[in-house]
Amino acid sequence: MDGRDLVRSVKSVGPAGAAWRLRTVTAAWRRMRADAGALPARGAERARVPGPVREVEPGPGGGVVRFARSELRVLVAVNGAVFWGWDGASPEPSYALAGRCPEADPRAVLEPDKDGGWRVVAERVTVVVSRHGAVEVRTPGGVTLRRDLPPRWWEPVGGGPARWMQRAEVAADARFFGLGGRAAGPRLREGTFRLWNSGAGRPFGAGDGTSRLTMPVRLVVADGGSHLVFHDSSWDGTVTLREGEEGAGSGHDRPGTCELRMDGGPLRCWVIVGTPARVLLGWASLTGAPVLPPAWALGHQHACGGVGSEQEVRRIVAGHQERGLPLDAVHLEVGHLDGRRGFGVDRERCPELPVLAEELRRDGVRLVSVVEPAVAVAPGDAVFDGGTAEDAFVRDASGQVVRGVGRAGESVFPDFTRARVRAWWGGLYAELLGQGFAGFVHDLDEPTSFAAFGESTLPRSARHGLEGRGGDHREAHNVYALCMARAASEGLRELAPEERPFVLSRSGWAGLQRYGGSWSGDVSADWTGLRASLSSALGLGLCGIPYSGADVGGAGGQVSAELWLRWLQLGAYLPLFRTRAGGGWEGEVVEHARVALIERRRLLPYFVTLVHLARRTGAPVVRPVWWGSPEDRALRDCEDTFLLGDCLLVAPVLEPGVDRRAVRLPPGRWYDTVTERAYEGPGQVLVDAPLSRIPVLARAGAVVPVRGDDGGLELEVWAPAPGRSGGGLLVPDGGDGWEEPELERYAVRWVGGRLVVRREGEDGVEEPSCPVRVRGLGGGLAQ
């Protein structure tokens, strides 16, 4: 943070009182002074490159290639993932990995290559190391997917962490996706993206370069194949992407490039190759299976925008009931908390909260509380005193507890990179569980202050335990929210072992899916914010976080009735569906909103099936349209349409005044779910998009689990094209427990002009376990 950031921090406080402005300026000055004393200027630096190969040492899954000034370890794991690390870097320790590093593939062999280089040959991939340190990843057929040039380090002459740069080349036709929840996406075009979790300090829209949930994870899709690359360093850095350009037949293609610059940390990398489905399966095997959200968390949730009193909650619930609008959860934001206490409920606003929570639960509505990492400096408060006794709070380089600014004023922050502190913090959720809360949303967990213009509220020189290794905030910042989510998830599993925990984090890092989900953050209340909501959900899904969504209506202001309705219609097809106060609930908007909410309720069995499949396969719930056809270039460039699982294609309206829009279709036959009119893909078609709905198309042959008119489970089968077959999956889930339900497979085929639906079991073909309704038989094929 420099002087300009300090000035912006003061301005961002707005019309707050003088005392608040003074605290903000004082905290910012403390951070600057602490870093100036503990993080001296880098001074003179010495550049280094690997140099030529000197010797090799074969080992399990690959081996070590030693150069004149560095060494490279290459490992191919049994799941096909490739790891390499420079200067002795190994896969562990890592906050991204779910456990230990996968075992090495015993069939992988290190052998000489041409021009003095070496290569590791495995069943699914070949890794070629040149004699000067370039690393190529190739398919078994010899197609080069990426070429990482020899890295470069800049080491301070006086000692200290080295910063480094790694530049890679990919195919000229390749497209970049990922890097966490980015507003500028889902396809990441040319530009520089910062790898530092930061609240924007203001609502943001499509194209904004900041992100509160960054990951050095990129999914690269090209004609020759797809691959995921993950540089496992949590330090501050940047990624500069540049798409390639084909030579239009001249043969002089310009490759796409990716340049990664990090301020420190190990230079280590994982690469997974294959189809998108195989890549995400491999990523989940490395970083952990996504946790299952409770079944109620797949319904409609609403966030209060007021003081969070019991009267306000009752008014919101009654309003939904009077209008016949489904509601599954109400989120109470900071208004219900006692600002003088950590985890405390304001007794004046909420004197009988447990009674209210029990009444709402009987009506099928849960209460969700916001939780922030900042603990108010309040001697006498149980949380502050307990954290002080536990020595739980982050200290600076001189050993003093760091004090920053939170919503409650001067605050301290737990060091979640220590197991003992996580256990203490996880136990604190008992108080809020006792008040009747069923889930928790972590806000400002980058960590940042809403008055700090997006910068960390902790100095970079602040000390952290880092699981006993020790280090400072430069390394801990990006994993701070991940560790907070872990503390909550593990604590809730102990406190309420019969229920699946609901933890939603604004920030995070690779592996967050093990503990919960995320949302798009404070997107701007305009059409760019709507588009950013979709980009964020798609980006997070491709980075392994399937449970995410948007705040319908954005943040920071009222929205028009049209925008709010289009946002609601999009949100109804995202895994996390949460509306905010400030939207329009009057006139015809209510009727159109009811249609979207009831359709979401009808599709709940399908969403349940998708989150179970995500846990088993790592496949995102919300997928880009190229998911099944990555070789289709037109689909790779499509950013305004998405797949909901394998069965449904959703085409949201992202611009004002639209009542008809173009939809890019993947291969196969697709049915408009309202008119049942059929369209043939691949190609682009025009479909109606009246204000009452957005276009949703079902894949021919799909089996979609839905709620029937009587509330029971039903299979909605979309007729395959004549002579074709289809099928689908069902994972029945009746609650919030940990039992793994059996996966049911269904096959659909024509038999003598009759459509037959059968369940495929271990003992052969069986009758479906629930009623079947066939659709698409009477719809005409569009010309």
Side-chain angles (χ1 to χ4, degrees):
M1 185 177 197
D2 57 22
R4 289 175 296 179
D5 292 327
L6 178 60
V7 172
R8 289 196 293 263
S9 294
V10 176
K11 290 181 178 179
S12 69
V13 179
W20 181 263
R21 289 197 294 271
L22 179 59
R23 283 197 296 266
T24 303
V25 173
T26 301
W29 180 254
R30 286 175 182 167
R31 291 196 300 273
M32 295 173 62
R33 187 176 61 179
D35 287 343
L39 299 176
R42 298 186 67 90
E45 294 179 319
R46 181 188 301 110
R48 173 170 61 90
V49 294
V53 170
R54 292 297 188 223
E55 60 179 354
V56 299
E57 179 183 336
V64 177
V65 182
R66 294 187 175 90
F67 298 84
R69 291 176 290 276
S70 186
E71 69 176 33
L72 172 69
R73 178 187 179 189
V74 180
L75 166 74
V76 179
V78 290
N79 63 356
V82 177
F83 170 84
W84 68 75
W86 288 93
D87 287 350
S90 62
E92 302 175 44
S94 170
Y95 279 105
L97 299 187
R100 302 300 303 271
C101 172
E103 294 183 5
D105 185 351
R107 298 167 296 178
V109 178
L110 177 65
E111 61 186 32
D113 193 48
K114 60 183 180 179
D115 299 328
W118 293 80
R119 63 182 179 181
V120 178
V121 181
E123 180 182 6
R124 300 179 187 174
V125 66
T126 298
V127 184
V128 179
V129 181
S130 77
R131 64 190 183 95
H132 286 290
V135 181
E136 286 189 9
V137 177
R138 300 175 182 171
T139 67
V143 177
T144 299
L145 296 179
R146 68 181 293 110
R147 183 173 188 267
D148 287 72
L149 303 180
R152 176 171 295 183
W153 295 266
W154 288 269
E155 301 166 330
V157 174
R163 57 189 180 94
W164 51 265
M165 182 269 285
Q166 176 78 72
R167 190 172 186 267
E169 296 178 347
V170 296
D173 65 284
R175 297 291 182 261
F176 299 102
F177 303 88
L179 292 182
R182 297 282 173 175
R187 172 183 162 193
L188 301 174
R189 291 174 169 80
E190 298 184 7
T192 298
F193 305 88
R194 190 179 180 191
L195 298 172
W196 185 258
N197 291 343
S198 57
R202 64 195 182 284
F204 61 91
D208 195 292
T210 61
S211 177
R212 82 277 176 248
L213 202 165
T214 67
M215 296 187 208
V217 180
R218 298 170 306 288
L219 185 60
V220 185
V221 184
D223 288 354
S226 304
H227 70 276
L228 178 146
V229 56
F230 167 55
H231 283 87
D232 194 355
S233 173
S234 61
W235 286 62
D236 194 0
T238 59
V239 175
T240 301
L241 302 177
R242 185 185 181 189
E243 292 183 346
E245 184 176 349
E246 294 181 294
S250 68
H252 297 288
D253 293 349
R254 176 173 61 82
T257 60
C258 174
E259 183 178 281
L260 179 63
R261 292 178 177 267
M262 302 294 286
D263 288 348
L267 202 175
R268 54 185 181 179
C269 178
W270 286 93
V271 176
I272 307 173
V273 304
T275 65
R278 180 180 290 276
V279 164
L280 267 295
L281 176 62
W283 179 242
S285 72
L286 281 178
T287 61
V291 68
L292 286 173
W296 58 263
L298 295 171
H300 171 218
Q301 307 178 51
H302 183 79
C304 292
V307 297
S309 65
E310 294 179 12
Q311 292 78 9
E312 184 179 7
V313 174
R314 292 184 186 277
R315 178 183 58 80
I316 289 172
V317 175
H320 280 74
Q321 293 174 341
E322 291 170 1
R323 295 178 173 90
L325 303 175
L327 181 64
D328 296 274
V330 175
H331 291 230
L332 299 185
E333 299 186 329
V334 293
H336 74 284
L337 296 176
D338 187 341
R340 298 162 294 181
R341 306 178 56 238
F343 284 87
V345 173
D346 190 318
R347 302 296 182 180
E348 295 181 2
R349 293 194 181 110
C350 305
E352 298 181 351
L353 193 59
V355 176
L356 172 63
E358 182 59 31
E359 292 176 0
L360 296 180
R361 187 180 285 257
R362 287 197 294 266
D363 290 335
V365 180
R366 267 70 170 187
L367 287 182
V368 178
S369 175
V370 68
V371 175
E372 297 176 356
V375 175
V377 177
D381 168 54
V383 176
F384 176 75
D385 291 347
T388 301
E390 287 280 349
D391 188 23
F393 302 125
V394 175
R395 295 179 178 270
D396 61 22
S398 66
Q400 299 297 312
V401 173
V402 176
R403 295 194 176 191
V405 177
R407 294 185 193 270
E410 191 171 39
S411 303
V412 290
F413 296 83
D415 181 5
F416 296 115
T417 68
R418 290 191 280 166
R420 177 172 53 82
V421 176
R422 290 195 296 268
W424 165 74
W425 184 266
L428 297 178
Y429 289 80
E431 179 172 350
L432 291 177
L433 287 175
Q435 293 291 325
F437 288 104
F440 305 93
V441 175
H442 291 174
D443 200 5
L444 301 180
D445 54 344
E446 287 83 2
T448 189
S449 165
F450 59 94
F453 202 76
E455 277 296 318
S456 173
T457 194
L458 296 173
R460 294 183 174 228
S461 58
R463 305 299 299 173
H464 291 267
L466 292 170
E467 317 309 324
R469 294 180 289 111
D472 58 38
H473 197 64
R474 293 175 296 177
E475 180 178 358
H477 175 82
N478 280 339
V479 299
Y480 188 88
L482 173 74
C483 294
M484 181 180 176
R486 177 181 178 181
S489 178
E490 293 175 348
L492 291 170
R493 290 190 182 203
E494 290 189 11
L495 295 168
E498 301 301 321
E499 298 184 3
R500 302 199 289 259
F502 176 81
V503 178
L504 203 62
S505 297
R506 187 171 92 157
S507 185
W509 206 61
L512 178 66
Q513 73 277 359
R514 301 192 296 264
Y515 313 118
S518 185
W519 81 102
S520 57
D522 295 334
V523 294
S524 57
D526 54 29
W527 291 92
T528 66
L530 170 59
R531 186 175 288 272
S533 299
L534 174 58
S535 297
S536 176
L538 284 168
L540 288 173
L542 294 177
C543 290
I545 302 177
Y547 184 71
S548 69
D551 274 347
V552 172
Q558 293 284 335
V559 298
S560 67
E562 180 191 10
L563 172 56
W564 186 84
L565 184 58
R566 292 308 195 188
W567 217 320
L568 181 81
Q569 291 165 343
L570 166 63
Y573 292 96
L574 299 180
L576 170 65
F577 179 28
R578 184 170 79 162
T579 54
R580 298 190 67 86
W585 293 97
E586 304 299 334
E588 67 172 350
V589 173
V590 175
E591 298 307 314
H592 298 331
R594 180 181 293 109
V595 172
L597 292 171
I598 291 177
E599 179 64 8
R600 172 58 175 243
R601 179 63 58 92
R602 192 180 76 91
L603 289 174
L604 277 180
Y606 184 50
F607 276 95
V608 168
T609 295
L610 291 179
V611 296
H612 274 277
L613 293 177
R615 178 168 177 79
R616 301 181 188 199
T617 68
V621 174
V622 171
R623 308 168 185 176
V625 289
W626 49 258
W627 179 258
S629 306
E631 71 284 350
D632 189 323
R633 296 190 179 189
L635 291 178
R636 290 206 299 261
D637 293 341
C638 179
E639 301 180 89
D640 60 357
T641 307
F642 64 92
L643 296 173
L644 183 60
D646 283 332
C647 298
L648 299 180
L649 183 147
V650 183
V653 174
L654 305 176
E655 297 176 351
V658 172
D659 59 7
R660 190 171 174 81
R661 61 151 294 177
V663 178
R664 176 69 61 178
L665 295 178
R669 176 171 292 187
W670 296 84
Y671 294 98
D672 186 309
T673 55
V674 173
T675 67
E676 299 193 17
R677 189 176 185 182
Y679 300 89
E680 288 292 340
Q684 182 170 281
V685 297
L686 284 175
V687 295
D688 292 331
L691 191 61
S692 59
R693 65 181 178 90
I694 58 175
V696 179
L697 294 93
R699 188 191 302 271
V703 177
V704 184
V706 298
R707 290 182 63 173
D709 295 336
D710 61 354
L713 186 62
E714 180 179 287
L715 295 180
E716 185 174 82
V717 177
W718 290 90
R724 306 297 295 272
S725 60
L729 302 171
L730 165 64
V731 181
D733 183 7
D736 303 337
W738 294 99
E739 181 180 355
E740 290 281 352
E742 179 184 356
L743 185 147
E744 300 179 9
R745 298 180 182 273
Y746 288 90
V748 181
R749 69 180 188 276
W750 291 102
V751 178
R754 176 171 169 265
L755 193 63
V756 177
V757 181
R758 289 290 184 267
R759 177 182 174 184
E760 299 177 337
E762 295 181 357
D763 300 326
V765 177
E766 306 173 2
E767 290 294 322
S769 61
C770 55
V772 174
R773 182 162 63 100
V774 178
R775 300 188 63 186
L777 294 175
L781 184 63
Q783 298 300 319

